[in-house]
């Protein structure tokens, strides 16, 4: 199931929902974020750039996408996980999933990957997503949001994603 190939206009996903930028500034941090549509090596992509800063209890920037209209959820139980085609600056990034069980802003289900300097396909099975600050297991029948995240340490983020989808097991 294709979530986005970033060929549309104005960072509106294939699902019809817009990508948006989020940073730790919502809680007093000072990290700077930019989420743009770009063309790299002939590929349309979303690009998450910025400086992740730890001052003022900060430490993240994110490109976030609602997977369904407000208040709704998406059932991804027919799929095995999240597939991304990524390129970056050899840093560690995360995919965060949210469900209605995430009642606090800091709660999510997280999986990590390295974005190499050349385009690479990354598969993140749902089984590798770890609950962060909640005890409820991931319910893939009720996905609400997905985020591409630079988090947890001070660094310059530069992540490009040319395709994002849920994939089926082989």
């Amino acid at each position: 199931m294709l979530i986005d190939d970033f060929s549309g206009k104005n960072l509106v996903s294939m699902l019809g929902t817009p990508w948006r930028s989020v940073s730790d500034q919502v809680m007093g941090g000072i990290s700077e974020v930019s989420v743009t549509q770009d063309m790299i090596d002939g590929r349309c992509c979303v690009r998450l750039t910025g400086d992740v800063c730890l001052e003022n209890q900060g430490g993240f920037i994110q490109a976030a996408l609602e997977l369904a209209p407000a208040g709704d959820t998406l059932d991804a139980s027919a799929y095995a996980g999240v597939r991304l085609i990524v390129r970056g600056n050899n840093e560690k990034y995360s995919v965060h999933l949210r469900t209605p069980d995430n009642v606090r802003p800091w709660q999510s289900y997280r999986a990590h990957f390295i974005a190499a300097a050349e385009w690479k396909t990354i598969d993140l099975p749902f089984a590798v997503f770890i609950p962060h600050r909640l005890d409820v297991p991931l319910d893939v029948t009720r996905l609400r949001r997905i985020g591409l995240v630079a988090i947890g340490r001070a660094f310059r983020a530069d992540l490009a994603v040319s395709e994002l989808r849920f994939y089926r097991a082989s």
Side-chain angles (χ1 to χ4, degrees), residues 71-91:
D72 288 341
T73 60
L74 183 142
D75 182 351
S77 60
Y79 302 94
V82 177
R83 176 172 291 155
L84 311 94
I85 301 176
V86 303
R87 177 180 182 273
N89 56 349
N90 295 306
E91 293 283 356

Side-chain angles (χ1 to χ4, degrees), residues 46-61:
V46 66
R47 193 165 186 185
L48 173 70
T49 57
D51 291 309
V52 180
C53 302
L54 301 179
E55 290 81 9
N56 298 342
Q57 305 298 323
F60 78 91
I61 62 173

Side-chain angles (χ1 to χ4, degrees), residues 52-164:
V52 180
C53 302
L54 301 179
E55 290 81 9
N56 298 342
Q57 305 298 323
F60 78 91
I61 62 173
Q62 176 176 197
L65 179 72
E66 298 297 326
L67 294 169
D72 288 341
T73 60
L74 183 142
D75 182 351
S77 60
Y79 302 94
V82 177
R83 176 172 291 155
L84 311 94
I85 301 176
V86 303
R87 177 180 182 273
N89 56 349
N90 295 306
E91 293 283 356
K92 182 171 95 171
Y93 295 93
S94 303
V95 172
H96 291 189
L97 296 173
R98 291 182 57 86
T99 71
D101 295 321
N102 303 116
V103 295
R104 304 273 190 253
W106 52 81
Q107 295 176 326
S108 60
Y109 300 91
R110 300 177 176 190
H112 309 290
F113 63 93
I114 302 293
E118 66 283 341
W119 289 106
K120 183 177 178 186
T121 300
I122 307 277
D123 284 349
L124 300 171
F126 288 130
V128 304
F129 282 82
I130 306 296
H132 180 76
R133 293 189 166 176
L134 73 161
D135 296 323
V136 180
L138 175 61
D139 180 357
V140 298
T141 67
R142 300 170 44 229
L143 296 179
R144 184 166 276 162
R145 186 170 79 188
I146 191 166
L148 307 170
V149 187
I151 190 168
R153 67 198 186 290
F155 73 107
R156 174 75 183 159
D158 189 354
L159 172 67
V161 178
S162 69
E163 187 176 290
L164 179 63

Side-chain angles (χ1 to χ4, degrees), residues 27-62:
M27 52 184 250
I30 61 169
S31 297
E32 295 288 332
V33 62
S34 174
V35 175
T36 57
Q37 195 162 358
D38 207 340
M39 178 75 72
I40 300 175
D41 299 333
R43 294 177 183 245
C44 295
C45 59
V46 66
R47 193 165 186 185
L48 173 70
T49 57
D51 291 309
V52 180
C53 302
L54 301 179
E55 290 81 9
N56 298 342
Q57 305 298 323
F60 78 91
I61 62 173
Q62 176 176 197

